[in-house]
Amino acid sequence: MDLQVVRQVAELEDWISEGGVVVLSGAGLSTDSGIPDYRGPSGSARRSTPMTYQAFTRDPVARRRYWARSHLGWRTIGEARPNDGHRAVARLQEAGAVQGIITQNVDGLHQAGGARDVVELHGNLARIVCLDCGELTPREWMAARLDDANPEFRGVATAVNADGDVELDDAELDGFTVVDCMACGGMLKPDVVYFGETVPPERVSRSFGLVAGARTLLVLGSSLTVMSGRRFVLRAVKDGIRVAIVNRGVTRGEPYAGVVVDAPLGIVLPHLASTVATVSS
Ligand SMILES: [Zn+2]
């Protein structure tokens, strides 16, 4: 680490040691778990445009293609395990330094790493929701049903995106069979917020509430490209709450942050967790 990074990390240690930290995490926290960040420096830019809610609900062909791709992507996302960064955040929460966690990720890895009370802004790929009756079911059930319905499907994903979508030739998607809700026959969708869909208001207000009560808003692994995350930074700045960012590469939050650490999260976060644990014990 160069001197600049060392100084910034030392400053961040001081801030975190004071407690009252609310974490806002993005895809960069999960790259060490094998889930690519298609916006970050380690991710290849995705070729396909993300599925929109409108296309998913209105276009049967788009929906079938989506499910075929997402079914393959789930094999990667579903097998992903939390990394040192996720575990460090959980330790900081356990130590009382972190009092809230808001994530833009849909992989559930904060909780798998031991964190509690995580606000999942964009939902969780491990759940399936029926758009008609609202029933929530585990993703494993959906995966098993899709396997049963598509015994001949042998698609091979070329690249998995953080939202569980994969790149796949359209020719491989022909004939893929989608299944419907077992309770009501309605349309099923991963319980995640698509492009063109709004984040449920109660999640947004809960997140704003966490930010309002924070001493420090700590952004982890997010370039803050989308307003859905950036608005919390803007609110923090407006309320005079200090902002720190740990992220690989450029972030749009930089002008608002008092501390910016451009270094691997898998090194910085465990370091912070052990420092703060020492301070509080
Ligand atoms: Zn239903």
Side-chain angles (χ1 to χ4, degrees), residues 130 132-135 181 183-186:
C130 172
D132 292 303
C133 75
E135 187 181 53
C181 176
C184 78

Side-chain angles (χ1 to χ4, degrees), residues 24-227:
L24 171 64
S25 67
L29 184 60
S30 291
T31 48
D32 284 350
S33 294
I35 301 174
D37 172 7
Y38 51 86
R39 289 196 186 89
S42 67
S44 54
R46 66 191 291 159
R47 270 190 298 133
S48 59
T49 43
M51 172 60 73
T52 64
Y53 185 77
Q54 289 71 19
F56 185 87
T57 51
R58 291 176 197 162
D59 181 350
V61 175
R63 187 162 63 250
R64 186 173 72 224
R65 288 177 173 172
Y66 174 84
W67 269 119
R69 300 195 309 265
S70 180
H71 184 47
L72 290 177
W74 174 247
R75 290 179 193 164
T76 297
I77 308 264
E79 285 173 5
R81 294 291 168 262
N83 62 54
D84 289 345
H86 296 111
R87 283 188 286 268
V89 171
R91 282 171 64 196
L92 287 166
Q93 186 183 39
E94 188 65 35
V98 165
Q99 64 183 26
I101 301 171
I102 306 162
T103 188
Q104 300 173 278
N105 299 339
V106 293
D107 52 35
L109 291 179
H110 269 300
Q111 297 93 318
R116 292 164 285 108
D117 302 326
V118 178
V119 182
E120 296 180 303
L121 267 187
H122 298 161
N124 192 320
L125 279 171
R127 288 190 304 264
I128 302 295
V129 62
C130 172
L131 295 181
D132 292 303
C133 75
E135 187 181 53
L136 293 170
T137 49
R139 181 64 180 249
E140 284 79 8
W141 296 10
M142 185 67 175
R145 292 182 67 202
L146 289 174
D147 277 338
D148 285 349
N150 298 280
E152 305 297 319
F153 183 61
R154 292 280 181 274
V156 175
T158 50
V160 181
N161 296 306
D163 57 2
D165 205 351
V166 302
E167 312 285 353
L168 195 67
D169 288 339
D170 286 349
E172 303 212 47
L173 308 176
D174 290 338
F176 191 83
T177 302
V178 175
V179 298
D180 297 318
C181 176
M182 290 206 285
C184 78
M187 190 185 292
L188 296 175
K189 171 180 166 293
D191 190 18
V192 296
V193 175
Y194 283 16
F195 282 75
E197 199 178 3
T198 51
V199 177
E202 73 276 7
R203 282 184 216 162
V204 177
S205 59
R206 201 180 149 204
S207 301
F208 275 128
L210 286 173
V211 172
R215 184 177 282 189
T216 298
L217 177 62
L218 175 59
V219 180
L220 301 176
S222 175
S223 53
L224 298 168
T225 310
V226 291
M227 190 44 98

